[in-house]
Structures are given as C-alpha cells and as structure tokens.
Amino acid sequence: MAPATQKRAAAKFYQEDIVQRKDDPNTFGVVLRCWQDAEDLPAPADNVDPLMRPLVQGEVGVSYFPRPVREIISEDKLDLVDRMYQPGDLLKRSVDDVRSGIVTSMNVRGRLEHAISGEKYPSWLTEHDVESAVEVDMGDYVVYNDWVGQVIEMFDEAWIEVTGGNLVRLPELSARLAIGEKGPDILPQPMSTVQGLFGFLLGSTRPSTADTVVSVKHTVLAISWLAINQSLTPEEAEAKPRPQRIWHGADLGKLTVLSRRAEEAVRVGDRVRIKNDTSVHTTQHGKSSESQGVITVDTYIVQETKSTVNVLWQDGTRDALDTRNTVPYLNPDEYDCWPGDHVVWKTEDSKRHVVVQSVNAQERTAQVLVVETGAIELASVLELDPHGTNDWSAVASSNDGLGVRRGDLVFIHREGTTNGVEPPMVPRIGEVEEWAREPPQVGADGHLGGWRRDMANIGTRIAENRGKEGSVEEPPLKRPEKGDTSLNWFGEVVDLHLDGTIEIVLPNDDKVTLPLNRLTRLYDSVEQFEDLWGDDEGTIDEGEDVEVWEMTEDGRWVEGAADDDDEWESAEEGEDEVMHDAMDVEDASGQWSPSTDTVIPSHAELEAAQPGDSRPASSNGRPQSPDVPQDAMDIEDEPEEGSSEWPWKRFEVLPEAPPDHAFYNTIPAQPSRQFLARLSKEYKALRSSLPDSILVRTYEDRSDLLRSLIIGPENTPYENAPFVIDWMLDANFPQTPPIAHFLSWTNGNGRVNPNLYEEGKVCLSILGTWAGDKSESWSAARSSLLQAFVSIQGLVLVKEPWFCEPAYEKLRGTEDGMVNSRLYNEKAYVLSRGFVRRALEIPLGGLEAELNWLYYTNGKLKKVLDDARALIEKSKATKEDTEADRELAVPRLSGGGIITLERTLVKLQALLDAYPGSGAR
C-alpha cells in the first residue's frame, strides 16, 4: 500500500490579510497572492510584475504602503495585523475544524493618518465616526428612475502638487489615483507625441518623486444599467426606458449612490473624512492667485485596522471573535449549509423544500424544517442540495441558485405578488449590455476607441473649459436619506430566519422581514463577467511537431512519424513503446503519474512477464492496469472465455445500438475509408489489450457509437461500482477526439467525481474537454480509444478524487486538503453504491447479461452489501482512525453518510433476494 501522506504545514496568511514586517514594524502591507490560491499565471516572459512569479509553499505576495513596493516574501518574515471579511463570507476556527461558520457582520476599528502630512489621528475610529472621502468608485451601485446600475468606467480630473508647491491638473480615463499617493509614476512620462490637453495643462512639468495627489474629481461616469424596479407594473416599467450610458455635468446630481454593508466598514487604504470633529488636521495646497485657488485636504487614510467578526456556526451557535483567531473557509464542501438556508431535500421518492435549522458537521446531518408540513426532521446533508444546480425546476432556467445569502442585493416585489418561481428558487436578473463588454481598444494613433473614446472626449472638453464662462461644476451625487421610502423596492440581505423569512435592510436603513418568494436577486456586472470566463480546451496548433506513436496489428505501440493524414505509421524495431498519460496526476497513492510509462505489451511479452512486474498479466494472459481491482474477475472454476457460460467479454460487436445510448438519436455521417481503416485498428487493440475490468461494446448498424463499462478499482471510493460512458466518433475521427457522455446516476445529489459531470461531460485533456499539456491532448497519430478508456479508470476513478480538481492538487498533504478529500471520498462511495442499484434495476442495453453475471452469479452484489455493512458497523463502533485506516480510501462514514447508504442497501438487498438462484456467493 502507498505510505500515508505526509502532512504539510498550514498556510499562515490569506488574500487581503493586513501584515506587518517583523524587521520594520512601521511597514504594513496587504497580501495579494498566496501559495494555496487557485490561479493561472502567464508565461514567465510575461511576468513583469514582481508578484507574478510562481509561489512556493510558505511564500506570499505583498503590496506595502505607504511606499508603493511589491514583493514575494516568506511568511516567516511577517506578522498578521488583521484579517478582513465581509457579510456572507465563510470561516473556521482552524483548517482542520469540520465545523464552519458564516459571517453575519463585522466590527472594525481603524487607525488613521492624514493623507498628505502623515499626522496620526489620536484615537481609533469605527465606520460610524467617518465617511468616505470618495464620492463614487468603480463597481458602485447607482439608481436612477427606477433602474439599478453599476459604474464600470470613470474619467478623472486630479490636481497634482509638484516640486515648488505648484499645482497641475491631470485629466485621464481611469480610476488610477487617490489623494495622498506620491511618486514619479503619478504624472505621465514625457513623450514626443504629448500634445493638446496634456501639454496645455501640464506645460513643461516632468515627473518627480515629489509629485503628490491632492485632489481627485470623477467628472464622467460610464454606467451599465442592469435591471429595473420589480415592484412596478408592466405598464409602469414600459414607460421607463434604460437610462443613458455616459453621465457628466449637471446630470451627475440625478444619480443616487447605494452602499453595501461591506463597503461601509473601514479597510486599510480607505480614504475617509472624520465626522463631528471640527479640529481635524488639514493641509493647504496651491495659491489663491491661481485659477484653482487653494485646495484644502481633510482626507485621512486608514493605516491599520483591528476587527472582530460576528459568526453564525453551523450548529446554530453564535460568536464574536477576533478575526486573527479564524481562517477563511476557501474550499467549502458542496453539501455545506448553515441555519436559515433554503435547500432541497432529495430522496429517491421526493424533493422537498426545507429550511436548515442546524447542522452537525461532524456527523454530516442536519435538522431541517419541512416547509410544506412545518415538521422538523433529521436529514443527511448528502441528500441536501443547497445550490439548485440541477433539474429541480425548469421554470427559472436563468437561475443558478436556491434561496438567498447574506450580502445579496435583492429586488422586492410589491405586496400581493411574487417573483414568479416556485420556492426555494429565487430568480436572478441583471443584464450587462454588449457595449459594456467591449474591451479597451487603442488605435494606430494611440487613441482609445469605442465608447471609452467618447468618454475621454467629453472629459477632455470639461477639463479644457473648467473655470471658463459656461462651464458646469458637477453637483454631488445623492445618497439615500433616512425617512425616504422612494427606494424601498431594493435592499440587502442581512439575515436568514429559521422560519424561512428573510431580513432585508433598505437604502434608508429601515429593516423589513419578507418571505422568500417576494425577492429577486441582482445579477451584477462582476458576476456576469466572471461567468463568461471558461476553461480553454487543450489543443495542438496546426503545423506543430508532435511525438507520434503507431499501433501495430497485435496492439503494440511503437514510435513513428505523422504524415498529412495523421494515420498511424510503421516504425523501426526497437523503439520505446510508451503511450503518454492523458492527465498529469501526482503518484501519491499508487496511481498513474507522468513518470510511470503505460506500456501495452504484446501477448508474447505477457506470457514472458517475470514475477514482480509492475503490470502483471491476469490469469487469462491479459494486462492489468495499476488500478484494476485484483479480484475483479477472480472466481472459482472460471469458464473458458467465449464459452456459453462466460458472458464477460471485454470487447464485442453487437448487431444494433441500444435505444438507451446517449447518442442513439444523432444522425451518423457516412464513414470514410480512412475512418473505417482506423476503426479496424482500434478494434484490434481493444480486443487484445483491454483490462479485465473494462468492457466495450460497438455496433454493426452504428460504427460511430461505442459503450464502455468500467468497474471501479479496489481501495477507491468507486470499488466494485459500474461506470458507463457512451461514446460517439464524429466524421472527422481520428482527427478529432471521441465525444463522451457519462451516465450519471446520482439522483441530482452532486457529482460522483470532479471529472464526471451530472449532465454527462467527461473532463479529460485527451478528450479535449480540459486544457492540459499539449502532449496530453488528443492526437490522431498517438492517441487511441484504448488510451481514453484506460485513462478514465486509472486517472479519474482514483483513491483521492478530490485532488483531480486542478486547483486542489497543490493542497495534497495539507490539513485543508485532507479534510476535504475525506468528505469527498465518503460522498463518492455512497453515491457509487447507488450506481450498482441503478445498473441492476434498469437494464442497460447491450450489457444486461454481463451485469447480471458480475453482480449476481459472480457474487459482487453480495460483496458490495457485506463491505458496506461492515463499514457501517465499524463507523458506529469507533470514531478513531488506526494506522491501517489511513491507507484506506474510505476508512469510516459519518452519521449522514450512514443514513443515505442504508437507504441504498435496503434496495440492493431486495434485488439480491429477488434474483433467482443468486445464492450467497
């Protein structure tokens, strides 16, 4: 067995942590990157930012203040000053704690110093003592004429104090500068093309280290209008068209800025003004004789914070903690939920809307309120769906979540109406128009294009005319006022009550409690842009030289060279016989890895295999992959393959494709000679080289379709479970990879594996559904169907599938990774027991006899039952792991896992009892 995974040290810092250098206590910084972050970095040649090289464990990327220095530094050289959260964030007391909590609110105190002079304010202040010195910022929400929008671009006019105390005006399209920033990068570098506005305003001024920002005004705003007031009647809404995109001048005074609770808390780097203190320190800049007059700066910068967080734990208890005594919960389990959450309780017989009352995270059980009956019942969390990512309802196809979360912005439907969908679904609305998606464009003349150029032109004219006759001084943007009910159709979720109602804070600070069906969530610009980012498929560019392997008549793989049609070519004798793996998987538990050559030997080589060969021949002379269950086909008095008593044929061509094949209704293309010739070679390889635990069926009437059955390897969560994947070869095969559809039988209760989606997608680089290395991608010259099938068994159905998610691979050996992997393994084990039941209850076209033989005649069903019951008894008897347990894929089950598994075992036992002559083998 593989040795127990060595535990790695836990991370000390997380993104947005405020840190202090141990060797310079006056230097603070904010953590921007951590080793454990899931991220894709550009190629090394593009790493111009000092923070953008790959990190090793124990390093973080930090940006310091007030001096603008960025570096990657060892965690050991830093102290944690504060850890920031916002409502709705998840946390734990420690990474190995199975119980998690949700942030309900924050209490933050800040230490301030003047933005220009650096003079410190004598006492610590809270958000109630200060107000933002920034009138509006990127991403802020604004309201106009019953529409909600977001600021997505701004044109600024900044006043810069330069050497000698003179002021110069810098207009530019950006939100780049803030009061108090200083250095040679404030002003643009002199260029021969600088002319017009910048030449007029800056004159002969050149950048220097003394340049300091003393004033910033946002003069032009671009606003993406997302959605309209949902309390309006259709007629009222029709009369209010989507507002204009670009706002400036007097029109700015018509906008109302809305703040979220998270934005009101003071954070390091915030520019603020102190309220109710007329003696605050100020600085003056400029001369009264100049056109701009004297600029007075009363802005302070938050330099340090101390925070406490109010937490609602899964078990329903509440705490107020110093944030430094918590850690962010970065990789929540898919079944995690918290008191007040609206979820769907799914069993095989029903789907019920329930409200979570409390969760026992250790046992993975939850007390839930059944909305329909009002009863409180005990549920396994493995049967709860907190996300609504499956087919719970087709009514709101645009919705991708159940209920609401603290911190969500919501529209409120008027009394007597609803959001139009069945609870616990809540629709999500908001549309970023195409113009707002347009990336920045720069023409050959160096000028911006598109709507950003329109903004720049407007901002330039305003700057040129500033102070002249007819120029307009921008009025301040409005803020909601207490007592004003005109915006009470919109609000922020602040609490979820155990009776299912939702507490909302309105723009005027009033609070209301409403039923879920009167709310609609806002789908904002940031969410929409993030949802547009997808995984690139791994491909090999045309014309690129690739390593080529060909398959000989007896299934041997030898090195060759590709010609124009990418067919397998003959090769010289004696070349290496290596078929590259389709994924890069760390060899931590006996699984395949890039350093393990996967050799498909000939029959002669199999017969000559020496004792101790890492890929032993089976008793019938066939190869076994490293993950094939050693006892998969072991039976007493094994009949000779091909006899009437032997239904377990690894490869067979059937007369007709079964109607339940996922691609049965597709229209096949006319196969070419090249297609059929390649298929003949593929068939020969499958006949000779499939492991005993993989069956493949093809069809005389549909040469483009295949079906594979893979039996889960031993000491994985998938042991003895059937995994069925349907395949289609398009007309371009083998130039394009085969198309796979996984038959997921999870009853909508989540993925059984990170690479096997509920909707049928099989995520694997060799199939072009994951962006792996080019050497791992499908190639007509070196890839095969056999390789695809074996890759799924050896690289997907593994002992620790949680780490198949690329972002989690680096967490192997960490406490966080070990906790999450164990939770995932339990889920995968329980769900895959249900696969046995599904395969036996509903006959699977072309594989009925094989499945009946394996599970009934060959006794695998009884083994599945016996093993599961023994695991349940062991789990109930003791909670402590032994050394031997650490080698097991599923050493124990939680209470919730037992509840769900026992439901399946009852059905499996009934199937065994009902099968004639199954016996107790």
Side-chain angles (χ1 to χ4, degrees):
M1 288 201 175
T5 305
Q6 184 176 359
K7 189 180 295 186
R8 298 179 180 177
K12 296 180 181 179
F13 301 109
Y14 298 85
Q15 281 191 22
E16 298 189 23
D17 279 356
I18 307 304
V19 294
Q20 183 181 42
R21 284 193 66 115
K22 292 181 178 179
D23 60 0
D24 184 3
N26 292 320
T27 298
F28 295 88
V30 58
V31 175
L32 299 183
R33 288 186 59 221
C34 305
W35 166 82
Q36 68 270 16
D37 296 339
E39 57 186 9
D40 293 317
L41 293 178
D46 299 329
N47 292 344
V48 295
D49 189 315
L51 290 191
M52 294 310 290
R53 74 161 170 80
L55 300 177
V56 299
Q57 190 176 10
E59 289 184 331
V60 289
V62 179
S63 177
Y64 297 107
F65 49 87
R67 54 191 179 98
V69 177
R70 297 152 69 90
E71 72 170 342
I72 290 175
I73 187 173
S74 169
E75 290 182 318
D76 294 334
K77 296 181 179 180
L78 302 170
D79 284 324
L80 178 63
V81 175
D82 201 8
R83 178 159 285 158
M84 301 302 295
Y85 294 100
Q86 61 185 33
D89 283 350
L90 307 177
L91 51 67
K92 293 183 175 183
R93 287 184 180 271
S94 63
V95 292
D96 59 348
D97 193 351
V98 295
R99 184 184 69 160
S100 60
I102 191 163
V103 175
T104 59
S105 62
M106 292 276 294
N107 299 298
V108 186
R109 294 183 299 142
R111 182 178 62 80
L112 280 55
E113 60 182 50
H114 193 271
I116 305 296
S117 70
E119 180 170 319
K120 291 179 171 53
Y121 193 77
S123 59
W124 290 71
L125 300 177
T126 72
E127 68 265 27
H128 304 295
D129 304 314
V130 299
E131 62 185 7
S132 176
V134 179
E135 187 177 33
V136 65
D137 209 344
M138 295 283 286
D140 279 355
Y141 296 93
V142 292
V143 176
Y144 172 74
N145 198 25
D146 284 304
W147 278 84
V148 174
Q150 260 182 308
V151 177
I152 61 170
E153 188 61 273
M154 300 191 294
F155 189 93
D156 293 349
E157 260 182 62
W159 283 99
I160 315 299
E161 185 176 61
V162 298
T163 304
N166 295 320
L167 297 183
V168 296
R169 192 145 43 99
L170 174 61
E172 60 180 352
L173 183 74
S174 75
R176 181 174 68 97
L177 300 177
I179 294 174
E181 290 187 334
K182 186 175 184 177
D185 57 346
I186 300 298
L187 295 179
Q189 295 293 328
M191 299 173 61
S192 59
T193 57
V194 171
Q195 56 184 346
L197 176 64
F198 292 102
F200 167 71
L201 295 174
L202 303 180
S204 60
T205 304
R206 294 295 181 266
S208 78
T209 57
D211 298 342
T212 305
V213 181
V214 297
S215 175
V216 177
K217 179 190 288 288
H218 306 306
T219 61
V220 188
L221 306 180
I223 299 174
S224 171
W225 296 100
L226 299 168
I228 197 170
N229 177 356
Q230 295 297 291
S231 70
L232 299 178
T233 65
E235 295 75 22
E236 291 170 333
E238 185 70 25
K240 298 191 174 187
R242 194 182 295 262
Q244 66 206 46
R245 306 174 184 176
I246 310 301
W247 290 73
H248 59 91
D251 283 350
L252 292 175
K254 301 175 183 177
L255 300 173
T256 301
V257 181
L258 302 178
S259 295
R260 305 176 79 157
R261 287 186 301 157
E263 296 159 358
E264 293 172 352
V266 294
R267 291 179 178 265
V268 168
D270 283 356
R271 269 64 177 175
V272 298
R273 293 191 182 94
I274 300 170
K275 296 190 293 187
N276 306 319
D277 187 347
T278 57
S279 63
V280 294
H281 175 70
T282 62
T283 57
Q284 280 73 41
H285 309 270
K287 303 170 184 177
S288 58
S289 58
E290 300 292 338
S291 59
Q292 83 284 343
V294 175
I295 295 176
T296 299
V297 178
D298 60 357
T299 299
Y300 280 72
I301 300 177
V302 180
Q303 289 292 336
E304 185 182 350
T305 56
K306 294 180 179 179
S307 304
T308 58
V309 62
N310 296 310
V311 182
L312 172 63
W313 298 106
Q314 287 179 295
D315 59 11
T317 59
R318 294 179 184 262
D319 266 330
L321 302 172
D322 186 320
T323 58
R324 294 171 298 179
N325 296 329
T326 68
V327 295
Y329 186 17
L330 299 180
N331 303 304
D333 183 73
E334 65 184 297
Y335 301 109
D336 271 330
C337 46
W338 295 268
D341 281 354
H342 290 255
V343 303
V344 177
W345 186 7
K346 295 179 178 179
T347 61
E348 61 181 38
D349 302 318
S350 65
K351 296 179 181 180
R352 292 185 285 176
H353 172 197
V354 299
V355 178
V356 176
Q357 305 294 291
S358 64
V359 176
N360 184 326
Q362 187 74 43
E363 288 298 318
R364 302 186 90 180
T365 59
Q367 294 286 338
V368 296
L369 168 69
V370 181
V371 172
E372 184 179 4
T373 65
I376 303 291
E377 298 189 30
L378 180 69
S380 164
V381 298
L382 275 68
E383 297 172 349
L384 300 182
D385 176 12
H387 308 293
T389 54
N390 42 64
D391 61 353
W392 161 245
S393 171
V395 176
S397 56
S398 62
N399 179 78
D400 60 348
L402 303 180
V404 292
R405 304 288 182 265
R406 293 165 182 84
D408 281 352
L409 294 177
V410 293
F411 295 91
I412 300 171
H413 295 261
R414 66 183 182 277
E415 194 168 355
T417 65
T418 72
N419 57 24
V421 301
E422 182 180 354
M425 273 201 152
V426 175
R428 185 179 63 168
I429 62 170
E431 178 189 359
V432 174
E433 296 176 284
E434 285 303 317
W435 69 269
R437 301 175 190 268
E438 179 184 295
Q441 305 170 17
V442 180
D445 58 358
H447 293 299
L448 284 166
W451 56 267
R452 290 178 178 84
R453 181 168 186 172
D454 295 337
M455 280 190 71
N457 289 339
I458 293 170
T460 298
R461 289 196 301 270
I462 292 172
E464 289 175 331
N465 295 326
R466 181 75 65 195
K468 296 180 181 178
E469 185 177 352
S471 65
V472 177
E473 288 297 323
E474 297 82 359
L477 279 69
K478 295 186 289 188
R479 295 274 176 175
E481 298 181 358
K482 285 188 175 295
D484 180 5
T485 61
S486 63
L487 300 180
N488 285 3
W489 45 268
F490 192 72
E492 180 182 349
V493 176
V494 293
D495 208 358
L496 309 180
H497 297 160
L498 296 183
D499 64 359
T501 57
I502 313 297
E503 187 172 326
I504 311 291
V505 60
L506 303 172
N508 64 1
D509 282 341
D510 289 346
K511 290 183 179 179
V512 294
T513 299
L514 300 169
L516 190 68
N517 62 5
R518 281 187 60 194
L519 305 178
T520 288
R521 292 190 294 131
L522 174 66
Y523 188 21
D524 72 9
S525 301
V526 174
E527 282 185 286
Q528 293 187 57
F529 288 135
E530 287 177 349
D531 289 346
L532 286 175
W533 301 336
D535 298 329
D536 295 328
E537 295 184 359
T539 58
I540 295 182
D541 298 333
E542 288 188 23
E544 180 180 349
D545 292 334
V546 296
E547 184 180 14
V548 176
W549 295 82
E550 71 139 20
M551 187 166 59
T552 62
E553 293 296 320
D554 61 358
R556 290 164 54 93
W557 287 85
V558 294
E559 188 175 7
D563 63 7
D564 292 339
D565 61 4
D566 275 342
E567 273 297 330
W568 289 322
E569 297 295 323
S570 61
E572 296 180 1
E573 294 290 334
E575 295 289 350
D576 291 337
E577 301 173 6
V578 180
M579 179 172 65
H580 289 281
D581 295 333
M583 288 172 56
D584 186 7
V585 176
E586 185 174 327
D587 187 11
S589 57
Q591 311 302 335
W592 292 354
S593 74
S595 62
T596 304
D597 294 340
T598 304
V599 182
I600 306 298
S602 67
H603 285 295
E605 290 170 321
L606 283 170
E607 291 171 0
Q610 298 298 315
D613 192 316
S614 62
R615 286 165 300 278
S618 64
S619 59
N620 54 19
R622 290 187 292 273
Q624 293 180 344
S625 76
D627 284 285
V628 175
Q630 298 303 305
D631 65 341
M633 299 298 113
D634 291 346
I635 58 172
E636 296 177 7
D637 302 323
E638 180 180 293
E640 181 181 353
E641 183 174 352
S643 73
S644 59
E645 300 177 40
W646 180 274
W648 193 263
K649 299 176 182 177
R650 292 169 297 140
F651 178 82
E652 188 173 9
V653 181
L654 303 179
E656 296 179 341
D660 62 357
H661 194 286
F663 300 107
Y664 182 79
N665 292 322
T666 59
I667 300 175
Q670 186 66 30
S672 65
R673 291 181 62 185
Q674 179 190 19
F675 178 95
L676 294 174
R678 174 60 176 262
L679 205 57
S680 176
K681 290 187 176 182
E682 296 278 3
Y683 284 2
K684 289 179 180 178
L686 294 173
R687 281 193 179 96
S688 64
S689 301
L690 276 171
D692 283 333
S693 53
I694 300 179
L695 303 189
V696 175
R697 298 293 177 260
T698 61
Y699 313 102
E700 293 177 1
D701 68 331
R702 289 293 301 269
S703 59
D704 60 322
L705 303 186
L706 301 92
R707 169 167 282 174
S708 62
L709 167 66
I710 302 173
I711 302 302
E714 64 183 11
N715 198 25
T716 72
Y718 310 110
E719 183 169 323
N720 292 321
F723 291 82
V724 180
I725 301 176
D726 286 342
W727 303 81
M728 181 175 70
L729 312 178
D730 67 17
N732 293 322
F733 180 81
Q735 309 305 322
T736 56
I739 302 167
H741 182 93
F742 169 59
L743 303 188
S744 178
W745 298 324
T746 62
N747 193 38
N749 282 339
R751 293 186 208 172
V752 74
N753 181 283
N755 297 78
L756 303 175
Y757 289 52
E758 287 190 272
E759 65 269 24
K761 178 180 177 181
V762 178
C763 195
L764 201 63
S765 55
I766 193 175
L767 302 180
T769 50
W770 175 253
D773 292 342
K774 290 182 179 179
S775 63
E776 300 168 357
S777 302
W778 177 268
S779 164
R782 70 173 190 274
S783 304
S784 72
L785 297 175
L786 173 63
Q787 182 185 3
F789 301 152
V790 174
S791 293
I792 290 171
Q793 184 182 65
L795 301 170
V796 174
L797 302 178
V798 295
K799 181 179 177 181
E800 296 177 294
W802 190 78
F803 297 109
C804 288
E805 196 72 61
Y808 299 154
E809 172 60 30
K810 67 172 71 174
L811 299 179
R812 190 183 294 275
T814 67
E815 196 71 55
D816 190 18
M818 293 163 70
V819 169
N820 280 279
S821 179
R822 182 159 178 165
L823 292 175
Y824 200 99
N825 276 19
E826 177 184 63
K827 181 269 293 273
Y829 177 80
V830 172
L831 289 180
S832 60
R833 302 312 91 187
F835 279 36
V836 179
R837 176 192 167 195
R838 167 59 175 78
L840 296 177
E841 281 187 337
I842 303 177
L844 197 64
L847 293 172
E848 302 97 324
E850 290 85 348
L851 289 168
N852 285 340
W853 175 84
L854 176 66
Y855 287 104
Y856 294 123
T857 306
N858 196 31
K860 285 299 176 189
L861 178 53
K862 184 176 186 304
K863 185 176 191 313
V864 167
L865 284 163
D866 291 345
D867 289 349
R869 287 168 177 154
L871 182 58
I872 289 173
E873 290 306 311
K874 173 185 174 184
S875 303
K876 290 179 177 179
T878 175
K879 303 297 182 185
E880 298 298 322
D881 285 351
T882 65
E883 192 65 32
D885 286 338
R886 297 188 179 96
E887 303 295 334
L888 300 177
V890 186
R892 262 177 193 75
L893 298 175
S894 67
I898 292 172
I899 290 173
T900 303
L901 180 58
E902 285 181 334
R903 295 187 203 277
T904 299
L905 297 185
V906 169
K907 301 292 185 180
L908 288 177
Q909 185 64 54
L911 287 169
L912 182 61
D913 293 342
Y915 190 77
S918 62
R921 293 189 57 175

